[in-house]
Every structure is written in structure tokens, then in C-alpha cells.
Amino acid sequence: METTLTPHLLNELAAIVGLNYIFTDEPTRKDYGHDETEDYNFPPSVVLKPGTTQEVSDILKFANANKIPVVAIGGQTGLSGGALSIYGGIGLSMERFNKIEIDEKNLQGIVEPAVITQIFREAAAAKGLFYPPDPSSQGSCTIGGNVAENAGGARALKYGVTKDYVLNLEVVLANGEIIWTGANTLKNSTGYNLTQLMVGSEGTLGVITKIVMKLLPANSHNILMLVPFFKAGEACEAVAQIFRAGIVPSALEFMERDAIDWTLRFVDGVSLDIKEAVEAHLLIEVDGNYPDMLFAEAEKIMGVLEQFEIDEILFADTEDQKNALWKMRRAVGEAVKSNSVYKEEDTVVPRYELPVLLAGIKAAGKKYGFHSVCYGHAGDGNLHVNIIKGDMTDENWNTEVPKGIREIFELTVSLKGTLSGEHGIGYVQKNYMDIAFNETQLQLMKSIKNVFDPNNILNPGKILPDNLV
Amino acid sequence: METTLTPHLLNELAAIVGLNYIFTDEPTRKDYGHDETEDYNFPPSVVLKPGTTQEVSDILKFANANKIPVVAIGGQTGLSGGALSIYGGIGLSMERFNKIEIDEKNLQGIVEPAVITQIFREAAAAKGLFYPPDPSSQGSCTIGGNVAENAGGARALKYGVTKDYVLNLEVVLANGEIIWTGANTLKNSTGYNLTQLMVGSEGTLGVITKIVMKLLPANSHNILMLVPFFKAGEACEAVAQIFRAGIVPSALEFMERDAIDWTLRFVDGVSLDIKEAVEAHLLIEVDGNYPDMLFAEAEKIMGVLEQFEIDEILFADTEDQKNALWKMRRAVGEAVKSNSVYKEEDTVVPRYELPVLLAGIKAAGKKYGFHSVCYGHAGDGNLHVNIIKGDMTDENWNTEVPKGIREIFELTVSLKGTLSGEHGIGYVQKNYMDIAFNETQLQLMKSIKNVFDPNNILNPGKILPDNLV
């Protein structure tokens, strides 16, 4: 299905977006050929930068008629290869869709897909409002990509993920028709939930051009603490215990020793004195409007932690200290990746099963000869597994590691978890989908895809396994 | 598409469920022929009461092969006619699916569809956990019905609706295949969201046989206050103001004067002394674990209310007083209905637009000659409109009222709201769907229906308009 675009086709596309917004030079194509997934680069045949929904519609109508693949491209921070143009075709960079409107009266944000998540969060905060989803890449990822992959982040355990904030979407369908998926309301029992079908569909069902987000009143206070554990398994156990004590923290992050060590070497301005025997840390935050309440919650948490072997808890006293700890946590992914070629999995299980998952990951590593660095949103049961190539041979990397990944995924599913908590399936996980879903479920998904995109032009070769007939 | 079941077909069905669980007598059929929607009764041709998922599967396989309609029946409290067997066929009463399992370790409930919502809430509470959705019919509606209609309730403004708690569903498809829709995890970016597609699909895409629900740690305290407003429009205005002051109440209910008067006559053990000039009330609750924090929130709310013309606020001092106020609020629907033949609409708009909606409803009543009583979950922008027949002529009731309803729905949609917030579309609203959705959107929904149920056996004649080709 490799795509060749004739000069005639390119002229038609240029007529839609204008000559300033069509690119066929190799550097630009390569620039839009990657996201943050391993070291892949699949350049689109042409990069288009439409400026209006109508232009997106015209492009899709044209692509559909000519059966040209179209891959919507956002912040290029994806970790599952969702934005890779694996069959070439049109790379549809949405970067000109960058407007934000904050509707203070209804506590809603109407936001275009290319808005950087952090910019949107700050725009809400400037009006005393709060958009909770905060993927670690929030400084460079886009809201459109967040919706496409159903991104999460550190605050999801208390506030939910992207899907929990999306009220309504303007979407261009494969045939160029423009629809809204729902209404701008907090509740909606009016027909099938097209909004939630679109969220997390990774650009395979339509191109999102506008998003109506729910916002919350902002919280004024929080307490942040870093807890060193002498046993990594106990850090995982503590996670479920905190919830069982009746507390819902606003963040509960797990980091293995390697993750924190590598990160401290990677980022500037953060230093920590960690005892040799410490195996893992939990970063715990509670938030709200009443400091007394937060102190009481923090005390309850310390009561829970007493039963585990921990070192002294570090409380972040100032905003600067809090920012430094969050900067460190957010940099873990990049730090780990800067060390070596790697593969990252985004396993998720019911919270209480975390210790079992961690033990299973380490066992798989032993069996197949790889080292892994684990960290992530433990409060959600969401553990990022970074498998490090280090000095493994290419042969082992290509044959043994996939077996290990398969076993890890089989374990997550046996624990009633699944393959991806917040990164999506995209390109790199699609051939593991048979572990989470049987033929019936996969065929349902394929039939839904077929309803929205009968010519398979929208981000082809993603989510569904290659061998699905 | 009226269904006749031959003795041969009935024998086959009896062989699946056993002779004790198949009913063809008229009283039983009539018993299962209604829900709480107006005075409709559409008896199924046969009532089956399967006991296992496998039996449901065998029934659907058989029904699909023989093109017999199947309507899943829960607590029969629906308000949109979702459980009416309008084409006869099999009335699939799920009443034997009534097990509850509370997974304290993961804060989840695994619950079968016939469990009464209140029983489930109490089972969670007994373990210190909280299942927030609380439709007014919680004492008799079922969790399965709640999922099918995406039910809401008074706590939705802070805690969300049913869909926000459903993690995973066991579903029997039209062809008898049994699937799980997702995983038992708080986050999931693994393929299309079949779970959320099923929630709110009103039994038209599959039969739900098991539900995995997210639970929260229980809150220990709340404050409940009843606020009389001299102007109904100001009560609506106050709703958005409270949120803009940074408060998220756990309930914010609106009741017009008639609603409260009729209810006080209807329920025992609740009495209130209301001034003649009071036009409406807000019932406001805040909840949490820290009484001081709740007092502070209540004070903030009183600060907001000062700007409106209100009478003295009633604070419920004891659990008994709280229960009495909630009993009254929950009885409004029944009280209004006991007065007269009625039609109930479930309009929903962005919160700030409530005053405009209320004024529009009253204007439509004036224009088309009907009286309406409005109440509902104002914090969500969800207003239940009860149109009272009273002494209207049948002719006006049948010709003028539908015109008025159409205008009210057109208004909700123009305000970026929609037809139903929590009752579903079912039978009685389906021919207004063209107001909320255009042909493209409706055809997408129809195609999705077709993927799941190509023979249209599952709850046929619901959600989608009759004239959709």
C-alpha cells in the first residue's frame, strides 16, 4: 500500500491548502516522519498544514476519492507510533489549529487540536480553572494527540484521563463530512456515544478539529512528598493500602531506583541524597482548598507508610522544590531513553496487582535476558516498562525481547489488566492485540473502523493486528 | 414486524431456560410490558428469565437465527420506554442476575445487571466504599438498566454519571457470542472503547450480563440545605454562580414551586412551611471527610446566594431531616405523575444556559397551551420537564404538545445542549433525534447498530427515528 503521489494529485492538494502549506522536500517529510517511539521514521509522501476545518474536509474528500492514506500529526510525542506515516501518503499536520477559548460561565474550554497541553492548562488556570490531565510530555504534546491516544498523566488517579474531560468533538470523517459527536453537556444519554468512540481511536476514525473540554474549579493547595522504599515490592503494595485507608491522592507515582538515578544525572538543578539500599520511591501528592485537610490527609498517609520499610520522607516545602520534584518525575522517560535503545510498554492492571506485575516483569527479564526500568502512575495501576537494549545483541533484541513482552502482556491480561493504559496501541503494540482481545472483539473493532473509513485511508496499519483478515 | 412465536419455537426456548422460567400467560406478559414511561404497555410474546450468561447466549443465538426481537428488561423504571417490547418477541427479564462482589483491594464492584442500585450502593457502603450514581429511582431501578440508559442522579455534578464508573462489561452479542468489552483498569487506551459504546446503548447492541464498576472511598460527612427563591429564574442563575465561586457541590437540585407543593401532598412525614411568594427551591449538598471544610464551603455558598432574593435557608440538622429532604426530592417525579397524565422530557444544556431554557419552556407552554412542572439536576444543566395533561383536550394533547416539545428540544440544541441527559431516547424521544443529529450522524449510529446486530433483533424500534432509511 506504499503511496505515490503524482504531480497532478499534488497540484490538487496545493489548491486546497495553498502553496505555503504543502511540503514535499525530504527534510520536512523526515521531520514529520517520527514521534517519540523508539527510533522509527516513516516520512509521509507530502506534508500538509491545513488552516481550517473546511480545508481538512476538502483534503479528506480528495484523499478518500483517491485512496491516499492520511495521518493526522500533533506534537509528535507519541510513544506507540500512532502518528507514523507507515504507508506514506498525506501527513496532516494540525499545527495551525491552535485557538483556545475558555468559557468561564460553563466551566468549559473550546480548544483546537494543536494547542499544547500545558498552554491549555495555563489558559484555564489564568481564569481560576483546572484542566487535570497532565501527561509527562505536557510541555510539547498537543490536546488533539491527547484525545487521539486518550492520554493520562500523574493526576489521573483522582481526576481521570483525557476521555473524562471530552464533552464534544468536531470531527472530519473520512469522506470529508464534518460532524459534532455529541453536545456541550456534562450528561448525555442521546444515542450512541460517538464522542467516546472517537477518543482513543488514534486518528483511525476521523480527524479531530475542535474539542469541548470540561474544566473544574482550581485547587489552591497541595502537599507533595517523596518516599524512599527499601523494597520496591513494598512501594507497590503501599499504593493500594493508601486508597484502602480512604485517601484519594492527586498523584501517586512509582519510580524504580534506576529511573531516579538516571534522571538525576540527566536533569539539571535537582539533587537528592539517596541511601544505597533504597530500591524505589513513591511521589505522593494530595490537593484541595483547605490546608488543614491536606495536613490531615498527609498524616493518614504517613500512618499507612509506617508498616513498610522506608527511609525518611522528603516533604517539598516550597513551590521551587515541588517543581524540581515534578521536573525530575517528568524527565524519567527521556532520561531512561537517553541511556540506550529501548522499548517502552505501558502496562496497566487493577491497582492491587501492581506487586505481582512488577515481579512478573523482572522474571520475564531474567528469562529472556533483558534489563528493565519501571516507573509510572502507580495509583492507576499503570506501570511504564522500559526495556533497555544496553549491550544485548541485535539478535536477542529482535527475537528474545518480543517473547518477553508477550509474556508480560499475557500476565497483565491474566490480572484483568490490559496492554496500554495511556499511550495507545498504534504501530508498535498492534501485533500484541490478540492477547487482550479474541477474534470476535477484534472483528467488532474492524467493522467499526469500516463504518467510519471504508477505504482505510485514516492512519492505516494502526491498532488492529496485521494478521486480522 | 409483529412477532408470532409458534409452539415449536417456544419449546426450543423452554429447553434453554427450563419450564420454570418461560411465561406466555397474559398477566405475566402485561406485567413485563411496561416501564414508568407514560401509560404504555407493549407485552412481549414470551417472557424468559435466564439464569446464566450461557443461557442468554443460547437465547440470542436462537433469536438471531429466527429473527425474533429480544428486549432486555431490568427494574422497569425507565422513563423513555427503553424496555418496552414494541414489536413483541422475547422479553428477557434479567432478574436472576443479582450477584454482587465487592473487591475491596481494588476498589471495584463486580455486579450483575439485576442488582437494585440502592442495594449495590449499600453493599459498597458496608465496606467503606462509595458508588456515587443515585438515580431518583435507586430503590427499584437496576444497575443493568442504569448502564443501558447511562443513568445519572443527584450526585452526578460532582461524581459523574453511570458511564464514569463502568470499567468493563460482559456482554452477549446478538449472535450469542460472549465478550468482555475492556479490562478492569482505571485507564485503558487499548483499541476502540467498546465499553463506552455499550453504555447508554439501551439494549440495542448487546445484552449486559456482568458489570465491573469503579468505587471510591466513602465520605464521612455532608451538609444539606434547602434554599427558597422568590424568583425561579434566579434559582437557575445561582447554579452557575456557585461553581464560578470555586465550589463543586455534591448535589444541586432545582424544584419549581408546583413540584414541591405536589410532592408535600404526596409523601408522608415531610412538611415545610413555604411562603406564598416562593417560586422555586435549590437543594444543595456538599460532602467530604472534614466538617470544617464543609462549613467553609457552605459559607461560601451562602455568600453567593446573598445576591439573590431568597427566603431563610433550611439546614438539615439530623440524618432524619436529611433523609426527609431527599425522600421529598426523589418523590417529585412520582408525585407529579400521580396528578395527571403527563409527558416527561429530560432536557440538558450547559449549566449557565439554565435560565434561558426554563424561560423557553414556559414560553412554549404558553404558545401551545400546556402547563409544565420543572425540576431536576440543575448542577448538571439537566432539567426534567413534566408536561401535564390536566384538562387539555385529547386533540391538543396529541397535536399541540408535540409541537411544543419539538420547540423545547430545538432550544436545547441551539444552546449546545441535547435531548436527554440521563433517561435515554428509547421509544418516546426517537422521532426527535433529527433535532440533535443530522442524517450523517444518524447513519453512523445506524451502521454501528448494524455491525452489532445485523438482523435488528436487539430492542428494535428504539433510539433511531422511524423515518431513517
Side-chain angles (χ1 to χ4, degrees):
Chain A
M1 187 173 169
E2 199 57 62
T3 319
T4 328
L5 288 174
T6 62
H8 171 72
L9 292 177
L10 289 171
N11 279 339
E12 299 258 1
L13 290 169
I16 295 171
V17 291
L19 284 172
N20 289 334
Y21 298 111
I22 180 166
F23 304 85
T24 52
D25 62 295
E26 203 183 321
T28 305
R29 289 171 46 233
K30 283 198 84 166
D31 235 27
Y32 287 87
H34 67 86
D35 54 15
E36 293 287 328
T37 309
E38 303 177 34
D39 50 358
Y40 290 111
N41 199 311
F42 290 96
S45 319
V46 57
V47 174
L48 302 180
K49 303 183 180 179
T52 65
T53 301
Q54 190 54 51
E55 285 180 12
V56 174
S57 164
D58 291 343
I59 291 166
L60 290 196
K61 209 175 291 173
F62 180 80
N64 197 40
N66 294 284
K67 299 201 168 52
I68 304 165
V70 179
V71 178
I73 298 174
Q76 298 179 261
T77 59
L79 293 166
S80 57
L84 302 177
S85 297
I86 61 170
Y87 296 116
I90 296 167
L92 194 71
S93 172
M94 300 300 290
E95 64 203 75
R96 293 168 69 201
F97 284 76
N98 56 12
K99 284 190 210 63
I100 303 176
E101 186 191 324
I102 303 292
D103 174 357
E104 285 179 80
K105 303 192 305 284
N106 289 304
L107 274 63
Q108 295 179 0
I110 298 99
V111 56
E112 290 187 346
V115 169
I116 302 290
T117 306
Q118 188 173 321
I119 304 279
F120 179 51
R121 300 183 85 228
E122 288 168 359
K127 306 280 187 184
L129 298 174
F130 180 31
Y131 176 69
D134 59 342
S136 292
S137 55
Q138 60 170 298
S140 47
C141 64
T142 64
I143 289 286
N146 292 177
V147 174
E149 303 294 333
N150 190 17
R155 269 63 181 226
L157 72 170
K158 178 169 178 180
Y159 292 104
V161 294
T162 306
K163 84 167 169 52
D164 300 305
Y165 292 85
V166 180
L167 301 179
N168 202 0
L169 293 170
E170 185 186 69
V171 172
V172 183
L173 300 173
N175 63 7
E177 291 194 75
I178 303 163
I179 65 165
W180 281 93
T181 54
N184 295 11
T185 56
L186 296 169
K187 302 160 96 172
N188 193 339
S189 290
T190 310
Y192 302 143
N193 197 335
L194 301 181
T195 306
Q196 292 300 330
L197 188 58
M198 205 57 68
V199 176
S201 67
E202 310 194 36
T204 65
L205 301 182
V207 174
I208 295 163
T209 46
K210 206 168 280 180
I211 302 145
V212 180
M213 288 288 195
K214 174 173 87 170
L215 299 172
L216 300 178
N219 284 314
S220 50
H221 292 79
N222 61 58
I223 291 177
L224 184 65
M225 52 182 117
L226 185 70
V227 189
F229 283 77
F230 292 112
K231 293 182 180 158
E234 285 196 355
C236 288
E237 279 172 46
V239 171
Q241 298 285 345
I242 289 169
F243 282 86
R244 291 170 76 186
I247 299 152
V248 182
S250 51
L252 215 177
E253 300 283 305
F254 170 86
M255 288 166 282
E256 271 198 301
R257 180 65 190 247
D258 275 355
I260 219 161
D261 281 352
W262 296 9
T263 308
L264 288 173
R265 286 198 296 272
F266 182 78
V267 295
D268 292 332
V270 188
S271 69
L272 285 171
D273 184 22
I274 306 174
K275 289 217 180 87
E276 186 73 30
V278 167
E279 284 188 2
H281 285 78
L282 290 182
L283 182 65
I284 309 175
E285 185 193 78
V286 287
D287 73 351
N289 284 317
Y290 300 91
D292 289 351
M293 177 190 98
L294 298 181
F295 290 129
E297 301 264 272
E299 261 176 42
K300 270 197 218 171
I301 291 172
M302 290 190 289
V304 172
L305 296 175
E306 264 171 14
Q307 65 190 291
F308 301 104
E309 290 180 53
I310 61 170
D311 198 15
E312 211 169 316
I313 299 173
L314 170 73
F315 284 87
D317 285 327
T318 63
E319 280 307 300
D320 281 353
Q321 277 189 17
K322 286 175 188 173
N323 289 337
L325 286 180
W326 277 116
K327 183 179 170 190
M328 178 190 74
R329 167 57 192 93
R330 292 212 179 91
V332 169
E334 268 185 274
V336 169
K337 285 153 207 176
S338 72
N339 254 274
S340 162
V341 172
Y342 70 96
K343 282 184 191 293
E344 176 164 359
E345 308 307 332
D346 176 38
T347 55
V348 61
V349 291
R351 193 187 289 134
Y352 185 80
E353 309 295 352
L354 264 184
V356 185
L357 175 61
L358 184 67
I361 291 164
K362 297 301 170 186
K366 220 167 202 172
K367 183 167 167 190
Y368 294 102
F370 59 79
H371 178 61
S372 66
V373 181
C374 298
Y375 61 93
H377 315 301
D380 300 321
N382 184 199
L383 202 64
H384 299 319
V385 185
N386 279 260
I387 298 172
I388 307 301
K389 181 151 188 267
D391 50 14
M392 279 183 90
T393 64
D394 285 351
E395 201 196 320
N396 282 350
W397 181 249
N398 292 324
T399 61
E400 295 305 293
V401 168
K403 290 184 208 162
I405 293 173
R406 185 158 274 271
E407 281 192 17
I408 291 169
F409 282 150
E410 284 167 353
L411 175 63
T412 62
V413 171
S414 77
L415 297 170
K416 304 204 185 294
T418 192
L419 313 185
S420 172
E422 56 176 25
H423 293 173
I425 295 304
Y427 176 61
V428 292
Q429 262 82 252
K430 63 177 173 173
N431 288 321
Y432 300 106
M433 280 287 272
D434 63 296
I435 301 170
F437 296 110
N438 63 24
E439 181 74 16
T440 301
Q441 293 158 315
L442 292 172
Q443 287 295 346
L444 274 180
M445 292 188 196
K446 192 177 174 189
S447 301
I448 290 169
K449 164 75 173 168
N450 203 42
V451 163
F452 282 80
D453 182 21
N455 292 327
N456 195 25
I457 62 160
L458 292 172
N459 210 2
K462 304 294 169 68
I463 301 181
L464 297 171
D466 290 327
N467 62 4
L468 188 69
V469 189
Chain B
M1 187 172 166
E2 198 56 65
T3 320
T4 327
L5 288 173
T6 63
H8 171 71
L9 293 177
L10 289 171
N11 279 340
E12 300 258 2
L13 290 170
I16 295 171
V17 290
L19 284 171
N20 289 335
Y21 297 110
I22 179 166
F23 304 85
T24 51
D25 61 294
E26 203 184 319
T28 305
R29 290 169 47 234
K30 282 199 81 164
D31 237 27
Y32 288 87
H34 68 86
D35 55 14
E36 293 286 328
T37 310
E38 304 178 32
D39 51 358
Y40 289 112
N41 198 312
F42 290 96
S45 318
V46 56
V47 174
L48 301 181
K49 302 182 180 178
T52 64
T53 301
Q54 191 53 55
E55 286 180 10
V56 174
S57 164
D58 292 342
I59 292 165
L60 291 197
K61 209 173 292 172
F62 180 81
N64 197 41
N66 293 281
K67 300 200 168 51
I68 304 165
V70 179
V71 179
I73 298 173
Q76 297 180 263
T77 58
L79 293 166
S80 58
L84 302 177
S85 295
I86 61 170
Y87 296 117
I90 296 168
L92 195 72
S93 172
M94 300 301 288
E95 63 202 77
R96 293 168 67 200
F97 284 76
N98 55 14
K99 285 191 210 60
I100 303 175
E101 189 190 323
I102 303 293
D103 175 357
E104 285 178 80
K105 302 193 304 285
N106 288 304
L107 275 63
Q108 294 179 0
I110 299 98
V111 57
E112 292 186 344
V115 169
I116 301 291
T117 307
Q118 188 173 323
I119 304 280
F120 180 52
R121 300 183 85 228
E122 288 168 0
K127 306 279 188 187
L129 299 174
F130 180 31
Y131 175 69
D134 60 343
S136 293
S137 56
Q138 59 170 296
S140 47
C141 65
T142 65
I143 289 288
N146 292 176
V147 174
E149 303 295 332
N150 189 17
R155 268 63 180 226
L157 71 170
K158 177 168 178 180
Y159 291 104
V161 295
T162 305
K163 84 168 169 50
D164 300 304
Y165 293 84
V166 179
L167 300 179
N168 202 359
L169 292 169
E170 184 186 70
V171 172
V172 183
L173 300 173
N175 63 8
E177 291 195 78
I178 302 164
I179 65 163
W180 281 93
T181 54
N184 295 8
T185 54
L186 296 169
K187 301 160 96 172
N188 194 339
S189 290
T190 312
Y192 302 142
N193 197 336
L194 300 181
T195 306
Q196 292 300 331
L197 188 57
M198 207 55 71
V199 176
S201 67
E202 310 196 35
T204 65
L205 301 182
V207 174
I208 296 162
T209 48
K210 208 168 278 180
I211 302 144
V212 180
M213 288 288 194
K214 175 172 87 169
L215 298 173
L216 301 177
N219 283 315
S220 51
H221 293 78
N222 61 60
I223 291 176
L224 184 65
M225 53 182 116
L226 185 69
V227 189
F229 282 77
F230 292 112
K231 292 181 181 160
E234 286 196 353
C236 287
E237 279 172 45
V239 171
Q241 297 285 346
I242 289 168
F243 281 84
R244 290 170 77 184
I247 299 154
V248 182
S250 51
L252 215 177
E253 300 283 304
F254 170 85
M255 290 167 282
E256 270 198 301
R257 179 66 190 247
D258 275 355
I260 220 162
D261 281 350
W262 296 10
T263 307
L264 289 173
R265 286 197 297 270
F266 181 78
V267 294
D268 293 330
V270 189
S271 69
L272 286 171
D273 186 22
I274 306 173
K275 289 217 180 88
E276 187 73 30
V278 166
E279 282 188 2
H281 284 79
L282 290 182
L283 182 67
I284 308 176
E285 186 193 77
V286 288
D287 73 351
N289 284 317
Y290 300 91
D292 289 352
M293 176 191 99
L294 298 182
F295 290 128
E297 301 264 89
E299 260 175 43
K300 269 198 219 169
I301 291 173
M302 289 190 291
V304 172
L305 296 175
E306 263 171 14
Q307 65 189 291
F308 300 104
E309 290 179 53
I310 61 170
D311 199 14
E312 211 169 316
I313 298 174
L314 171 72
F315 284 88
D317 286 326
T318 64
E319 279 310 299
D320 281 353
Q321 276 188 17
K322 286 175 187 171
N323 289 336
L325 286 180
W326 276 117
K327 183 178 167 189
M328 177 188 75
R329 166 59 191 90
R330 291 211 180 92
V332 169
E334 269 185 272
V336 169
K337 285 154 205 174
S338 73
N339 254 273
S340 162
V341 173
Y342 70 97
K343 282 185 191 293
E344 177 165 357
E345 308 308 330
D346 176 37
T347 54
V348 62
V349 292
R351 192 187 290 136
Y352 185 80
E353 309 295 351
L354 265 184
V356 185
L357 175 61
L358 184 68
I361 291 164
K362 297 303 170 186
K366 219 166 201 173
K367 181 167 167 192
Y368 294 102
F370 61 77
H371 178 62
S372 67
V373 181
C374 296
Y375 60 94
H377 314 301
D380 299 321
N382 183 199
L383 201 64
H384 300 319
V385 185
N386 279 260
I387 298 172
I388 307 301
K389 182 154 188 269
D391 49 12
M392 276 184 92
T393 64
D394 285 352
E395 202 196 319
N396 281 351
W397 182 248
N398 292 324
T399 59
E400 295 306 294
V401 168
K403 289 185 209 162
I405 293 173
R406 186 159 274 273
E407 281 193 15
I408 291 169
F409 283 149
E410 284 167 353
L411 175 63
T412 62
V413 171
S414 77
L415 297 170
K416 304 202 186 293
T418 191
L419 312 185
S420 173
E422 57 176 23
H423 293 172
I425 294 304
Y427 176 61
V428 293
Q429 261 84 250
K430 64 177 172 173
N431 288 321
Y432 299 107
M433 281 286 272
D434 64 295
I435 301 169
F437 297 110
N438 64 23
E439 181 76 14
T440 301
Q441 295 158 313
L442 292 172
Q443 287 295 347
L444 275 180
M445 292 190 194
K446 193 179 174 186
S447 301
I448 291 169
K449 164 73 173 170
N450 202 43
V451 164
F452 282 80
D453 181 21
N455 292 325
N456 195 24
I457 64 160
L458 291 173
N459 209 4
K462 304 294 169 67
I463 300 181
L464 296 171
D466 290 326
N467 62 3
L468 188 70
V469 189

